[in-house]
Amino acid sequence: MSWNSFGRVFRFTTWGESHGPAIGAVIDGCPPGLSLSEADIQPWLDKRRPGQSRFTTQRQEPDQVRILSGVFEGRTTGTPISLVIDNVDQRSKDYSEVAQAYRPGHADYAYDAKYGFRDYRGGGRSSARETAARVAAGAVARLVIPEVSIRAWVSEVGGDAAEALDAAEIDRNPFFCPDAAAAERWEKLIDNARKAGSSLGAIVTCEANGVPAGWGAPLYAKLDSELAAAAMSINAVKGVEIGDGFAAARLRGEENADRMRPSENRDSPHFLSNHAGGIAGGISTGQPVRLRVAFKPTSSILTPVETITRSGETAEIATKGRHDPCVGIRGAPVVEAMMALVLADQKLLHRAQCG
Amino acid sequence: MSWNSFGRVFRFTTWGESHGPAIGAVIDGCPPGLSLSEADIQPWLDKRRPGQSRFTTQRQEPDQVRILSGVFEGRTTGTPISLVIDNVDQRSKDYSEVAQAYRPGHADYAYDAKYGFRDYRGGGRSSARETAARVAAGAVARLVIPEVSIRAWVSEVGGDAAEALDAAEIDRNPFFCPDAAAAERWEKLIDNARKAGSSLGAIVTCEANGVPAGWGAPLYAKLDSELAAAAMSINAVKGVEIGDGFAAARLRGEENADRMRPSENRDSPHFLSNHAGGIAGGISTGQPVRLRVAFKPTSSILTPVETITRSGETAEIATKGRHDPCVGIRGAPVVEAMMALVLADQKLLHRAQCG
Amino acid sequence: MSWNSFGRVFRFTTWGESHGPAIGAVIDGCPPGLSLSEADIQPWLDKRRPGQSRFTTQRQEPDQVRILSGVFEGRTTGTPISLVIDNVDQRSKDYSEVAQAYRPGHADYAYDAKYGFRDYRGGGRSSARETAARVAAGAVARLVIPEVSIRAWVSEVGGDAAEALDAAEIDRNPFFCPDAAAAERWEKLIDNARKAGSSLGAIVTCEANGVPAGWGAPLYAKLDSELAAAAMSINAVKGVEIGDGFAAARLRGEENADRMRPSENRDSPHFLSNHAGGIAGGISTGQPVRLRVAFKPTSSILTPVETITRSGETAEIATKGRHDPCVGIRGAPVVEAMMALVLADQKLLHRAQCG
Amino acid sequence: MSWNSFGRVFRFTTWGESHGPAIGAVIDGCPPGLSLSEADIQPWLDKRRPGQSRFTTQRQEPDQVRILSGVFEGRTTGTPISLVIDNVDQRSKDYSEVAQAYRPGHADYAYDAKYGFRDYRGGGRSSARETAARVAAGAVARLVIPEVSIRAWVSEVGGDAAEALDAAEIDRNPFFCPDAAAAERWEKLIDNARKAGSSLGAIVTCEANGVPAGWGAPLYAKLDSELAAAAMSINAVKGVEIGDGFAAARLRGEENADRMRPSENRDSPHFLSNHAGGIAGGISTGQPVRLRVAFKPTSSILTPVETITRSGETAEIATKGRHDPCVGIRGAPVVEAMMALVLADQKLLHRAQCG
């Protein structure tokens, strides 16, 4: 079953802890013959990489990926692709206090309850550092679905929503914000939160264009079900919406109906709206696939909070160390990667069953 | 991989179409020695059963379950449990128009795009009728987790939220509404929608009490990830939240932190709040596991909407036949069932790895 | 994971006990649009059906299959296909003694040790009756691989090997024996064993022609690995060989090498021999895929044998009831079915990864 | 589904090619709290390591394993364990000819037919070098089943069978031969084959003692079915037997019956024989689990054999480079590892379902 694997035919497994020697991913089921080198992966890792602005953790990780298998003379061979990223900037001394007390909002207590003990250095396996391995795997997934373009952006920080949706703007600010005015506001919001020893939540929106009708399948491997599982597996995520999501629960049937008209392309009708987020009955409709993901505020905060120790004594803990004041921001490249991973898998699955 | 199966160790597979002779589920991996008969399953099916009030479809299905295997002398044997529910009130004549035109919001077009054709009678496999099989399987799952009690209710209909949360009220009205005043309002809301040939969305909340700390596992089989996949696999669901969900994205770190205090039970600290919905790092914390699920309005409406035919001509379609004006209502027992199925599976998985 | 499922994309799950009301299979992942009715399945069930000669159990089961889902207007829809076969000739009274004492060679003791109790009627889930469900599923699998023709025959009974290999002969005798002279000898052998209250083992050979090069994949889902698992999952099987099997261990490298020559068909070289049984590196080579399967003698014999009771007392047991004197014979259609099921799955998997 | 993974709860994935920078394995689902360091793995790798005598390939690989994740302060954490073994003695120049012509008996042609091209250096992914990763994973699996002791030996080389079964002898000769006299004969046999540019097959026997009754499960995840898949996934394996295997097909029912007598230990009856190889109905009986595996002769031989080139021309090929004259010998530690991996998985699965 594999707790640390995802996907069915295009399947990846990640391993590694925040303060171990390295993290990595093994991709199994990648089609053969795709052109692949580290240069295809590195740019996506660089987008997620920490330490690039004062709005993310100051941990300096170059996140250089190495391909150890599955590629020969520049092309994928169809055998497992092993990706490794060395950890170079661990500072384990920061975490001594965490070894003894549970940080509220973190996995500390749950891991101890489950496993009896835990690697407390930087959160161990529960650290968002693992998402670098997803981003690397996602870069390979993108090669499997050249017909699809995927774009994620941060649509809300600390309750303040972006209004404009200017794709060109997304990469111009450190927040993946598609609205220049909002980006300015967020800069202040995040600075204030950071200085106050607090943190903020965020909402990430992700859209995939070019997904043909027919990917996904009833009933327990629906495309939306896979996307929900993928998104909810990311650290700090607490909510997922497809298309209108919770807002759809407030529409009337005739408002929510995505009406159709004939188009020149018979395979792809003209839809008058996309409340459904490009998925009906668990199967893509040919419209853009749209996903919204809610990230809670970073649990690691300098503000001291009441908690207990491993031995059950009362305590107070302030999480020092280096942390993102708003984890949702660096969540954007991770959501993109998960979208790519799900779609690559679904493309291959569709091909398996329907030729 | 199985598109129509769910779960890893406690695993079920469903089959059947709205207007075929029967629907059913096969449960694999159920522990041996549990007392089980049809009488353990039937009450849960009766809660979901259609035709019990004017607020649900008038299709009359007794939904009598039969156990065809896996039980001997009243106890589960550890081998597959086959459950069958006959369809008795199909009226296929109602669906002739649907064969030719695509109903917006339905899976019609997507199924055709994927499979080349579809069983158009009552939506075929995409009908919510399949959820009866889930409810039956969920009844068996409940026997695996006697330490857990699960309760789902409808917390919002057509944008009108229940305010009170009175558990005793839930079964006193046809809406699984925990607020008597809201139930009265919803009666009018739904009646009006039905008479107007329209439909309404709803939000279902589900809570599991008694889940011990330690179920679930990082990273791609997190308890919340499994719940999200389970919920999103239900017909008409467009959004899922764990704990505070999207609202958490608007909290600050110190607001969202679920502070802990020592309790008399060393295995179970006293949490001062439950923003996390009982899950941290993908693992249960011992608090109530809380899930919220958004259902879109029923796509089958009498109001005619613009669409296209199979051959690509423009058309207008009004979905006659018998339908729920608000599918979310009967979604409550289904969400409960999925919660039970996920938790039963996670309990066994935890036992596998951690003894 | 599913203990009672097999296959990855074309996946089936079986359920049912020897003396329950019915047995069945659910097939998930079947491609859509294949022409399918009960008439496509019944002939294969009829070949395996008991009670057709004095050389098989006298239990009279018509083995009429019903398709309950997944087919619409005569074609597969791509959704799960539920197959049910009613049990009609159970005689549970025959098994009272078995409830208390363990039959050597049977699963009785192992089931009790695992599950704490067991359905002792006719062996319950461990009965070869389950293989009818495999044969039904296998009939559907055949439709997925029309390019392949599969033929199994009994090549040895009680140590007496068939010498001729006359395909036309196989269906002319009740032993699936390809050698008329051997069939005559086997008739006497089996009659004698039956009259002596004894039983015989057998070896089944199965060959699939038309399998193109390229099906299967390294390393843990090799085609030969899948076939070995499939064959070993059949009741009473104790050995599996691909190609020359154990005899290959006695060849020298240059003897075992399947030399190749150019052929007119560039995609399919001319092989001078087929020691490998059509599989190299876990992948088909385009040669016939050849499998040999060893069946132990039927464990149910009239000759009394020493054993113990459930409470640990010494006992002697003679298995009355109705049994095949040589289970391997009816194993031939089952091996054929498993070959079809594995190849259908591998075809779809190859299509998934390699297009 | 994962082509390169094995196991269900205790699950491992291997990656790497013969001449890539490294090979490795990721283990998922290992119970937490087990004491583990490289020193627990290295001795098993050393047994399989090449270049230790003139009877194995002269490739010099230190096979030093590194643990990159899943262990903290000397104990397994329950998260994925990443194992890496660097390749240090690749000599890719040896394989230039192989790039153009297909070696009979090798995966060359099949890989090309499947993937369109292949990593021809040392066989790439199809090299037996991958088995080092299995042996490393198997060493971890052993820690999960301390109650079990596993021993494999070579029971036959080139048709010459060992007669004595002296456990102490197995590690005293370079053939894992339990019979000192046979070991002397094999030395000559293998030397002669090597000098003649030929190669030999072998049979490996493996026995697991201490397996309690109750591991394994019907019907498609039977213990014997899992072992057959595991064994057949090893390079060069063409046959698998459980217990008496093919010889059982020549026994009569009363000969094959493993009679039982009461023993002092009520949980474990006294069996008078073990024809079944410790497995009945797919479930362990408490007797030793016995497996026999047939290895074909090494396909890489110096004797030139007829073949074709990639472009379909006739050719002759003699495989130079460094090869084992009898791959079956180093197969013994690999079979042991696979036995350990299957049993660890089955133990956890049994615990999942049956507590």
Short mmCIF file of all heavy atoms in Angstrom, two decimals, chain D residues 58-106:
data_model
loop_
_atom_site.label_atom_id
_atom_site.label_comp_id
_atom_site.label_asym_id
_atom_site.label_seq_id
_atom_site.Cartn_x
_atom_site.Cartn_y
_atom_site.Cartn_z
N GLN D 58 34.40 -11.10 -11.43
CA GLN D 58 35.57 -10.45 -10.84
C GLN D 58 35.35 -8.95 -10.62
O GLN D 58 36.24 -8.24 -10.19
CB GLN D 58 36.81 -10.69 -11.71
CG GLN D 58 37.20 -12.18 -11.73
CD GLN D 58 37.38 -12.75 -10.33
OE1 GLN D 58 38.20 -12.30 -9.55
NE2 GLN D 58 36.56 -13.74 -9.97
N ARG D 59 34.13 -8.50 -10.92
CA ARG D 59 33.84 -7.11 -10.61
C ARG D 59 34.03 -6.87 -9.11
O ARG D 59 33.52 -7.64 -8.30
CB ARG D 59 32.38 -6.80 -11.02
CG ARG D 59 31.95 -5.37 -10.73
CD ARG D 59 30.62 -5.06 -11.40
NE ARG D 59 30.09 -3.78 -10.94
CZ ARG D 59 29.02 -3.18 -11.44
NH1 ARG D 59 28.35 -3.75 -12.44
NH2 ARG D 59 28.60 -2.02 -10.97
N GLN D 60 34.76 -5.81 -8.76
CA GLN D 60 35.05 -5.55 -7.35
C GLN D 60 34.13 -4.47 -6.84
O GLN D 60 34.34 -3.29 -7.10
CB GLN D 60 36.52 -5.13 -7.19
CG GLN D 60 37.52 -6.24 -7.51
CD GLN D 60 37.47 -7.38 -6.51
OE1 GLN D 60 37.06 -7.19 -5.37
NE2 GLN D 60 37.86 -8.56 -6.95
N GLU D 61 33.12 -4.85 -6.11
CA GLU D 61 32.20 -3.87 -5.54
C GLU D 61 32.20 -4.01 -4.03
O GLU D 61 31.86 -5.06 -3.50
CB GLU D 61 30.77 -4.11 -6.06
CG GLU D 61 30.54 -3.69 -7.50
CD GLU D 61 30.57 -2.17 -7.70
OE1 GLU D 61 30.56 -1.43 -6.70
OE2 GLU D 61 30.62 -1.74 -8.86
N PRO D 62 32.59 -2.97 -3.31
CA PRO D 62 32.60 -3.10 -1.85
C PRO D 62 31.17 -3.21 -1.29
O PRO D 62 30.98 -3.72 -0.20
CB PRO D 62 33.29 -1.82 -1.38
CG PRO D 62 33.17 -0.86 -2.52
CD PRO D 62 33.13 -1.68 -3.77
N ASP D 63 30.20 -2.74 -2.04
CA ASP D 63 28.80 -2.84 -1.61
C ASP D 63 28.59 -2.28 -0.21
O ASP D 63 27.99 -2.92 0.66
CB ASP D 63 28.31 -4.29 -1.67
CG ASP D 63 27.91 -4.68 -3.09
OD1 ASP D 63 27.89 -3.80 -3.97
OD2 ASP D 63 27.60 -5.87 -3.30
N GLN D 64 29.12 -1.08 -0.01
CA GLN D 64 28.93 -0.42 1.28
C GLN D 64 27.58 0.27 1.29
O GLN D 64 27.32 1.13 0.46
CB GLN D 64 30.03 0.63 1.52
CG GLN D 64 31.41 0.03 1.77
CD GLN D 64 31.50 -0.71 3.09
OE1 GLN D 64 30.89 -0.31 4.08
NE2 GLN D 64 32.23 -1.82 3.10
N VAL D 65 26.74 -0.08 2.22
CA VAL D 65 25.40 0.50 2.27
C VAL D 65 25.40 1.74 3.17
O VAL D 65 26.10 1.79 4.18
CB VAL D 65 24.38 -0.54 2.78
CG1 VAL D 65 24.59 -0.87 4.23
CG2 VAL D 65 22.95 -0.05 2.56
N ARG D 66 24.64 2.75 2.77
CA ARG D 66 24.40 3.91 3.63
C ARG D 66 22.92 4.06 3.88
O ARG D 66 22.11 3.88 2.96
CB ARG D 66 24.91 5.19 2.94
CG ARG D 66 26.43 5.35 3.00
CD ARG D 66 26.88 6.60 2.25
NE ARG D 66 26.57 6.47 0.84
CZ ARG D 66 26.12 7.46 0.05
NH1 ARG D 66 25.91 8.67 0.56
NH2 ARG D 66 25.87 7.27 -1.22
N ILE D 67 22.55 4.38 5.11
CA ILE D 67 21.15 4.63 5.47
C ILE D 67 20.95 6.14 5.43
O ILE D 67 21.57 6.87 6.20
CB ILE D 67 20.83 4.09 6.88
CG1 ILE D 67 21.08 2.58 6.95
CG2 ILE D 67 19.40 4.42 7.27
CD1 ILE D 67 20.92 1.99 8.35
N LEU D 68 20.05 6.62 4.55
CA LEU D 68 19.87 8.06 4.40
C LEU D 68 18.65 8.61 5.12
O LEU D 68 18.46 9.81 5.20
CB LEU D 68 19.80 8.43 2.92
CG LEU D 68 21.06 8.20 2.08
CD1 LEU D 68 20.89 8.81 0.70
CD2 LEU D 68 22.29 8.78 2.76
N SER D 69 17.79 7.74 5.60
CA SER D 69 16.58 8.24 6.27
C SER D 69 15.92 7.14 7.08
O SER D 69 16.27 5.97 6.95
CB SER D 69 15.57 8.78 5.25
OG SER D 69 15.03 7.72 4.48
N GLY D 70 14.99 7.53 7.92
CA GLY D 70 14.15 6.55 8.61
C GLY D 70 14.73 5.99 9.89
O GLY D 70 14.10 5.15 10.53
N VAL D 71 15.93 6.43 10.25
CA VAL D 71 16.56 5.95 11.48
C VAL D 71 17.00 7.17 12.28
O VAL D 71 17.57 8.11 11.73
CB VAL D 71 17.77 5.05 11.17
CG1 VAL D 71 18.50 4.66 12.46
CG2 VAL D 71 17.32 3.80 10.43
N PHE D 72 16.69 7.18 13.55
CA PHE D 72 17.07 8.29 14.41
C PHE D 72 17.59 7.74 15.72
O PHE D 72 16.93 6.90 16.35
CB PHE D 72 15.86 9.19 14.65
CG PHE D 72 16.15 10.40 15.51
CD1 PHE D 72 17.11 11.33 15.13
CD2 PHE D 72 15.46 10.60 16.70
CE1 PHE D 72 17.38 12.43 15.92
CE2 PHE D 72 15.72 11.71 17.50
CZ PHE D 72 16.69 12.63 17.11
N GLU D 73 18.74 8.19 16.10
CA GLU D 73 19.38 7.69 17.32
C GLU D 73 19.38 6.17 17.38
O GLU D 73 19.09 5.56 18.41
CB GLU D 73 18.70 8.30 18.55
CG GLU D 73 18.87 9.83 18.57
CD GLU D 73 18.27 10.51 19.79
OE1 GLU D 73 17.44 9.89 20.47
OE2 GLU D 73 18.64 11.67 20.06
N GLY D 74 19.67 5.57 16.22
CA GLY D 74 19.87 4.13 16.18
C GLY D 74 18.61 3.28 16.10
O GLY D 74 18.69 2.06 16.13
N ARG D 75 17.47 3.95 16.00
CA ARG D 75 16.22 3.17 15.92
C ARG D 75 15.39 3.61 14.72
O ARG D 75 15.38 4.78 14.35
CB ARG D 75 15.40 3.36 17.20
CG ARG D 75 15.98 2.62 18.40
CD ARG D 75 15.04 2.69 19.57
NE ARG D 75 14.87 4.07 20.03
CZ ARG D 75 13.85 4.49 20.77
NH1 ARG D 75 12.89 3.64 21.12
NH2 ARG D 75 13.77 5.74 21.17
N THR D 76 14.66 2.65 14.15
CA THR D 76 13.76 2.98 13.05
C THR D 76 12.64 3.88 13.58
O THR D 76 12.14 3.69 14.69
CB THR D 76 13.14 1.72 12.45
OG1 THR D 76 12.42 1.03 13.48
CG2 THR D 76 14.20 0.80 11.87
N THR D 77 12.26 4.87 12.75
CA THR D 77 11.26 5.84 13.20
C THR D 77 9.86 5.52 12.69
O THR D 77 8.90 6.19 13.08
CB THR D 77 11.61 7.25 12.69
OG1 THR D 77 11.69 7.19 11.26
CG2 THR D 77 12.93 7.72 13.26
N GLY D 78 9.74 4.55 11.80
CA GLY D 78 8.44 4.26 11.19
C GLY D 78 8.25 4.98 9.87
O GLY D 78 7.26 4.76 9.18
N THR D 79 9.19 5.83 9.51
CA THR D 79 9.13 6.55 8.22
C THR D 79 10.08 5.86 7.24
O THR D 79 10.83 4.96 7.63
CB THR D 79 9.49 8.03 8.43
OG1 THR D 79 10.80 8.13 8.97
CG2 THR D 79 8.51 8.69 9.39
N PRO D 80 10.04 6.24 5.96
CA PRO D 80 10.77 5.46 4.95
C PRO D 80 12.27 5.38 5.21
O PRO D 80 12.92 6.38 5.56
CB PRO D 80 10.50 6.22 3.65
CG PRO D 80 9.26 6.98 3.88
CD PRO D 80 9.26 7.33 5.34
N ILE D 81 12.80 4.20 5.01
CA ILE D 81 14.22 3.95 5.17
C ILE D 81 14.85 3.92 3.79
O ILE D 81 14.52 3.06 2.98
CB ILE D 81 14.45 2.60 5.90
CG1 ILE D 81 13.79 2.63 7.28
CG2 ILE D 81 15.94 2.29 6.00
CD1 ILE D 81 13.74 1.27 7.96
N SER D 82 15.73 4.87 3.52
CA SER D 82 16.38 4.93 2.22
C SER D 82 17.78 4.35 2.31
O SER D 82 18.59 4.80 3.11
CB SER D 82 16.44 6.39 1.75
OG SER D 82 17.13 6.49 0.52
N LEU D 83 18.04 3.33 1.51
CA LEU D 83 19.34 2.66 1.51
C LEU D 83 20.02 2.90 0.17
O LEU D 83 19.39 2.75 -0.88
CB LEU D 83 19.14 1.14 1.69
CG LEU D 83 18.33 0.71 2.92
CD1 LEU D 83 18.08 -0.80 2.89
CD2 LEU D 83 19.06 1.09 4.20
N VAL D 84 21.29 3.27 0.20
CA VAL D 84 22.02 3.52 -1.04
C VAL D 84 23.33 2.76 -1.04
O VAL D 84 24.02 2.69 -0.01
CB VAL D 84 22.30 5.03 -1.23
CG1 VAL D 84 23.16 5.28 -2.46
CG2 VAL D 84 20.98 5.79 -1.38
N ILE D 85 23.64 2.16 -2.17
CA ILE D 85 24.91 1.45 -2.37
C ILE D 85 25.55 2.03 -3.63
O ILE D 85 24.97 1.94 -4.72
CB ILE D 85 24.66 -0.07 -2.57
CG1 ILE D 85 23.97 -0.68 -1.35
CG2 ILE D 85 25.98 -0.79 -2.89
CD1 ILE D 85 23.40 -2.07 -1.59
N ASP D 86 26.72 2.61 -3.47
CA ASP D 86 27.37 3.19 -4.65
C ASP D 86 27.96 2.10 -5.55
O ASP D 86 28.46 1.08 -5.06
CB ASP D 86 28.50 4.14 -4.20
CG ASP D 86 27.93 5.41 -3.57
OD1 ASP D 86 26.89 5.89 -4.04
OD2 ASP D 86 28.54 5.91 -2.59
N ASN D 87 27.86 2.33 -6.84
CA ASN D 87 28.58 1.48 -7.80
C ASN D 87 29.96 2.07 -7.96
O ASN D 87 30.10 3.27 -8.22
CB ASN D 87 27.88 1.50 -9.16
CG ASN D 87 26.58 0.73 -9.14
OD1 ASN D 87 26.42 -0.23 -8.39
ND2 ASN D 87 25.64 1.14 -9.99
N VAL D 88 31.01 1.27 -7.79
CA VAL D 88 32.35 1.84 -7.90
C VAL D 88 33.19 1.21 -8.99
O VAL D 88 34.16 1.79 -9.45
CB VAL D 88 33.11 1.76 -6.55
CG1 VAL D 88 32.32 2.47 -5.46
CG2 VAL D 88 33.40 0.33 -6.17
N ASP D 89 32.84 0.00 -9.44
CA ASP D 89 33.71 -0.69 -10.38
C ASP D 89 33.02 -0.97 -11.72
O ASP D 89 33.02 -2.08 -12.23
CB ASP D 89 34.22 -2.01 -9.74
CG ASP D 89 35.27 -2.70 -10.61
OD1 ASP D 89 35.91 -2.02 -11.43
OD2 ASP D 89 35.40 -3.94 -10.49
N GLN D 90 32.38 0.07 -12.25
CA GLN D 90 31.79 -0.10 -13.58
C GLN D 90 32.89 -0.06 -14.65
O GLN D 90 33.81 0.73 -14.56
CB GLN D 90 30.80 1.04 -13.89
CG GLN D 90 29.79 1.30 -12.82
CD GLN D 90 30.15 2.48 -11.96
OE1 GLN D 90 31.29 2.61 -11.51
NE2 GLN D 90 29.19 3.35 -11.71
N ARG D 91 32.76 -0.91 -15.64
CA ARG D 91 33.68 -0.82 -16.78
C ARG D 91 32.84 -0.83 -18.05
O ARG D 91 32.68 -1.86 -18.70
CB ARG D 91 34.60 -2.04 -16.84
CG ARG D 91 35.69 -2.03 -15.81
CD ARG D 91 36.77 -3.02 -16.23
NE ARG D 91 37.41 -3.57 -15.06
CZ ARG D 91 37.98 -4.76 -15.01
NH1 ARG D 91 37.98 -5.54 -16.09
NH2 ARG D 91 38.53 -5.20 -13.90
N SER D 92 32.32 0.32 -18.38
CA SER D 92 31.32 0.35 -19.43
C SER D 92 31.90 -0.04 -20.79
O SER D 92 31.19 -0.49 -21.66
CB SER D 92 30.68 1.74 -19.50
OG SER D 92 29.98 1.97 -18.30
N LYS D 93 33.19 0.09 -20.92
CA LYS D 93 33.75 -0.23 -22.23
C LYS D 93 33.51 -1.68 -22.63
O LYS D 93 33.48 -2.02 -23.80
CB LYS D 93 35.23 0.10 -22.27
CG LYS D 93 36.09 -0.73 -21.30
CD LYS D 93 37.57 -0.37 -21.41
CE LYS D 93 38.32 -0.48 -20.09
NZ LYS D 93 38.30 -1.78 -19.41
N ASP D 94 33.36 -2.54 -21.66
CA ASP D 94 33.13 -3.95 -21.97
C ASP D 94 31.86 -4.19 -22.78
O ASP D 94 31.68 -5.26 -23.33
CB ASP D 94 33.03 -4.77 -20.68
CG ASP D 94 34.37 -4.90 -19.97
OD1 ASP D 94 35.41 -4.90 -20.67
OD2 ASP D 94 34.37 -5.00 -18.75
N TYR D 95 30.96 -3.24 -22.80
CA TYR D 95 29.63 -3.54 -23.30
C TYR D 95 29.30 -2.94 -24.66
O TYR D 95 28.16 -2.91 -25.07
CB TYR D 95 28.58 -3.12 -22.27
CG TYR D 95 28.72 -3.93 -21.02
CD1 TYR D 95 29.44 -3.47 -19.93
CD2 TYR D 95 28.16 -5.21 -20.94
CE1 TYR D 95 29.61 -4.24 -18.79
CE2 TYR D 95 28.33 -5.99 -19.81
CZ TYR D 95 29.05 -5.50 -18.74
OH TYR D 95 29.21 -6.27 -17.62
N SER D 96 30.34 -2.45 -25.36
CA SER D 96 30.06 -1.77 -26.62
C SER D 96 29.33 -2.68 -27.61
O SER D 96 28.39 -2.26 -28.27
CB SER D 96 31.38 -1.26 -27.21
OG SER D 96 32.32 -2.32 -27.20
N GLU D 97 29.75 -3.94 -27.70
CA GLU D 97 29.16 -4.84 -28.68
C GLU D 97 27.68 -5.10 -28.37
O GLU D 97 26.84 -5.21 -29.26
CB GLU D 97 29.93 -6.17 -28.66
CG GLU D 97 29.60 -7.08 -29.83
CD GLU D 97 30.36 -8.42 -29.71
OE1 GLU D 97 30.99 -8.66 -28.65
OE2 GLU D 97 30.29 -9.20 -30.65
N VAL D 98 27.40 -5.18 -27.06
CA VAL D 98 26.04 -5.47 -26.61
C VAL D 98 25.07 -4.38 -27.05
O VAL D 98 23.87 -4.61 -27.22
CB VAL D 98 26.03 -5.59 -25.07
CG1 VAL D 98 24.64 -5.86 -24.56
CG2 VAL D 98 27.00 -6.67 -24.62
N ALA D 99 25.60 -3.19 -27.24
CA ALA D 99 24.73 -2.09 -27.65
C ALA D 99 24.09 -2.38 -28.99
O ALA D 99 22.97 -1.95 -29.26
CB ALA D 99 25.53 -0.78 -27.71
N GLN D 100 24.78 -3.13 -29.81
CA GLN D 100 24.29 -3.34 -31.18
C GLN D 100 23.62 -4.69 -31.41
O GLN D 100 22.75 -4.80 -32.26
CB GLN D 100 25.45 -3.15 -32.19
CG GLN D 100 25.91 -1.70 -32.28
CD GLN D 100 24.76 -0.72 -32.43
OE1 GLN D 100 23.80 -0.97 -33.16
NE2 GLN D 100 24.80 0.40 -31.70
N ALA D 101 24.06 -5.72 -30.65
CA ALA D 101 23.48 -7.05 -30.90
C ALA D 101 22.80 -7.56 -29.64
O ALA D 101 23.14 -7.17 -28.53
CB ALA D 101 24.58 -8.01 -31.34
N TYR D 102 21.81 -8.41 -29.82
CA TYR D 102 21.05 -8.95 -28.69
C TYR D 102 21.70 -10.23 -28.18
O TYR D 102 21.92 -11.18 -28.95
CB TYR D 102 19.62 -9.25 -29.12
CG TYR D 102 18.87 -8.03 -29.58
CD1 TYR D 102 18.24 -7.99 -30.81
CD2 TYR D 102 18.79 -6.90 -28.76
CE1 TYR D 102 17.54 -6.87 -31.23
CE2 TYR D 102 18.10 -5.78 -29.16
CZ TYR D 102 17.47 -5.76 -30.39
OH TYR D 102 16.78 -4.66 -30.80
N ARG D 103 21.97 -10.29 -26.89
CA ARG D 103 22.53 -11.51 -26.31
C ARG D 103 21.40 -12.50 -26.04
O ARG D 103 20.50 -12.21 -25.24
CB ARG D 103 23.24 -11.18 -24.99
CG ARG D 103 24.49 -10.31 -25.16
CD ARG D 103 24.96 -9.78 -23.83
NE ARG D 103 23.90 -8.98 -23.21
CZ ARG D 103 23.92 -8.53 -21.96
NH1 ARG D 103 24.94 -8.82 -21.18
NH2 ARG D 103 22.93 -7.81 -21.49
N PRO D 104 21.39 -13.67 -26.66
CA PRO D 104 20.35 -14.66 -26.38
C PRO D 104 20.27 -14.96 -24.88
O PRO D 104 21.31 -15.03 -24.21
CB PRO D 104 20.80 -15.89 -27.17
CG PRO D 104 21.54 -15.31 -28.34
CD PRO D 104 22.28 -14.12 -27.76
N GLY D 105 19.08 -15.13 -24.38
CA GLY D 105 18.88 -15.43 -22.96
C GLY D 105 18.85 -14.19 -22.10
O GLY D 105 18.42 -14.25 -20.95
N HIS D 106 19.29 -13.06 -22.65
CA HIS D 106 19.27 -11.81 -21.89
C HIS D 106 18.00 -11.02 -22.21
O HIS D 106 17.27 -11.35 -23.14
CB HIS D 106 20.50 -10.96 -22.22
CG HIS D 106 21.67 -11.27 -21.35
ND1 HIS D 106 21.75 -10.87 -20.04
CD2 HIS D 106 22.79 -11.97 -21.60
CE1 HIS D 106 22.89 -11.29 -19.52
NE2 HIS D 106 23.54 -11.98 -20.44
#
